[in-house]
Amino acid sequence: MGSRQDPLIYLGSVAFVLLLAIPLLPGLPGDSFSASLPRTSPNAGINQDFTIGPSAGVFQSPDFYLIQKNSLKAVSPAGTINPQVLATLLDSVEGTEDDRSGIVEYLVKEGDTLSSIAEQFQISLETVLWANNLNKNSAISTGKKLVILPVSGVMHLVKPGETLGEIAKKYKADVKKAIDFNEMKDENEVFTGDIVIVPDGILPPPPIASSPVKLAPLVAGYFICPISAPCRITQGLHWYNAIDFSHGKCYEPIFAAASGKVQKVKLTASASRWAFNGAGNHLTILHPNGVVSFYGHIASATVYPGQEVSQGQIVGYVGGAYGMAGSGLSTGCHLHFQVTGAKNPFTK
């Protein structure tokens, strides 16, 4: 149609004028323009590739490509993410309000029965009984909290050395279903202190003790508060053996409550309420005494699986705001701090 209608002609003219004008700018040497451009190197350090924290983001510069020979479009190539910093990053975790995949606490209402609660959540009566150490003759009262699984089956607290295959076999369940439901790559992707759901699992005889497992207390001072002073608790003990901490602000630092080894770090770009079964972004630390601490609803992590951390070291930043990626089942900025293998020392 003629060169005068080709936008590349005008773009080239503008670029040529700008290049001629650059040396004339006050206080700007002729090569300052190129010196100010971001430079990358194959040996660049972590900080040049990715930054963690409140203003975290992937540093990248846009490239251009042509569309139909006469249009330009800016595109941003995928940023470099160092796995030692970010650990596991998933693109999305699907889920809706009606597609519940996590464990919830239910407050018994007047007129409720164990059977009606099971029917309400579309799970078997046995599932409700097993999860709450009850039997068919157990009485429930208004205000009592019950643990409700998302599907019929059993939940299991992983012990050292266990695989999901062994757990599924114990409950006569399909290991493939368990792997898929718990969003795992294979049966070995379980860690000490994890709580896994085994769909269609059957509790073997003899039944689990009728009374709840008694957790041993930690030595005084073994855990420090995982957020900065003041150590403000916003919700008392709730599922599972957890306390919520918050100053009402996201992106505040989270500290390792005690020294140990990071077991896993799970991060997602999804804002689904059921991301990682409602826990949202999270990480766990295995401590030398066998106790595991869990940090949920985090905005980002600064550690990676297998890393040794010291007490008080920053391991991530507070998240949890409604609609924020990785918040999970949360409506405000806070840290969900959970302990497995011992009493939560912050319980009043």
Side-chain angles (χ1 to χ4, degrees):
M1 297 298 293
S3 62
R4 286 179 296 178
Q5 295 189 15
D6 190 342
L8 289 176
I9 296 296
Y10 300 101
L11 179 64
S13 300
V14 172
F16 181 76
V17 172
L18 288 175
L19 288 173
L20 291 178
I22 285 171
L24 303 178
L25 293 175
L28 184 65
D31 63 345
S32 291
F33 181 73
S34 60
S36 65
L37 289 175
R39 302 187 182 195
T40 58
S41 165
N43 300 317
I46 290 174
N47 291 336
Q48 290 173 295
D49 295 330
F50 196 83
T51 57
I52 294 292
S55 58
V58 179
F59 182 76
Q60 54 193 18
S61 57
D63 287 340
F64 291 92
Y65 68 90
L66 291 172
I67 301 177
Q68 297 178 348
K69 298 182 180 180
N70 61 357
S71 300
L72 289 174
K73 181 177 180 180
V75 294
S76 295
T80 303
I81 299 176
N82 189 304
Q84 290 188 330
V85 175
L86 198 54
T88 304
L89 177 66
L90 300 183
D91 289 334
S92 65
V93 177
E94 297 300 328
T96 66
E97 295 297 320
D98 299 322
D99 184 23
R100 182 170 68 92
S101 61
I103 298 170
V104 297
E105 284 185 323
Y106 176 75
L107 209 60
V108 175
K109 300 180 178 65
E110 187 175 352
D112 279 343
T113 66
L114 291 169
S115 296
S116 68
I117 293 170
E119 185 178 350
Q120 176 183 339
F121 287 96
Q122 300 180 345
I123 56 177
S124 68
L125 173 60
E126 289 74 18
T127 298
V128 177
L129 299 178
W130 294 334
N132 295 279
N133 294 303
L134 301 174
N135 58 56
K136 292 183 179 180
N137 298 318
S138 298
I140 55 173
S141 56
T142 303
K144 178 179 176 62
K145 287 182 178 180
L146 294 178
V147 174
I148 305 296
L149 272 59
V151 294
S152 293
V154 297
M155 62 179 178
H156 179 85
L157 183 64
V158 179
K159 300 177 181 64
E162 284 187 319
T163 68
L164 197 57
E166 294 168 344
I167 296 168
K169 184 178 180 180
K170 175 181 179 180
Y171 298 113
K172 299 181 180 179
D174 184 346
V175 65
K176 179 66 167 59
K177 278 188 179 180
I179 290 171
D180 292 343
F181 192 87
N182 291 279
E183 300 171 6
M184 296 177 181
K185 296 177 182 177
D186 54 55
E187 64 180 78
N188 297 309
E189 198 184 2
V190 289
F191 302 90
T192 302
D194 281 356
I195 296 173
V196 296
I197 297 170
V198 185
D200 302 322
I202 300 173
L203 196 68
I208 293 177
S210 57
S211 59
V213 176
K214 292 184 178 180
L215 299 174
L218 288 170
V219 176
Y222 186 83
F223 275 166
I224 64 169
C225 183
I227 65 170
S228 57
C231 188
R232 184 168 176 263
I233 295 174
T234 54
Q235 184 178 358
L237 195 64
H238 58 287
W239 176 262
Y240 169 82
N241 197 30
I243 297 290
D244 286 350
F245 296 93
S246 178
H247 293 140
K249 295 183 291 185
C250 283
Y251 304 115
E252 290 193 329
I254 299 168
F255 308 104
S259 61
K261 179 183 286 188
V262 178
Q263 289 195 123
K264 63 177 178 178
V265 181
K266 295 288 188 179
L267 303 173
T268 177
S270 171
S272 166
R273 284 166 56 81
W274 298 113
F276 298 122
N277 294 335
N281 293 342
H282 63 277
L283 62 90
T284 63
I285 300 175
L286 175 63
H287 304 286
N289 61 358
V291 173
V292 176
S293 58
F294 177 105
Y295 307 75
H297 308 307
I298 64 177
S300 59
T302 59
V303 293
Y304 56 89
Q307 180 179 349
E308 296 284 348
V309 295
S310 304
Q311 185 179 56
Q313 179 176 335
I314 294 177
V315 295
Y317 293 90
V318 173
Y322 184 77
M324 176 188 290
S327 287
L329 197 61
S330 170
T331 56
C333 300
H334 75 278
L335 169 66
H336 175 92
F337 178 77
Q338 175 178 306
V339 177
T340 54
K343 289 184 178 179
N344 193 314
F346 300 99
T347 304
K348 293 183 179 180

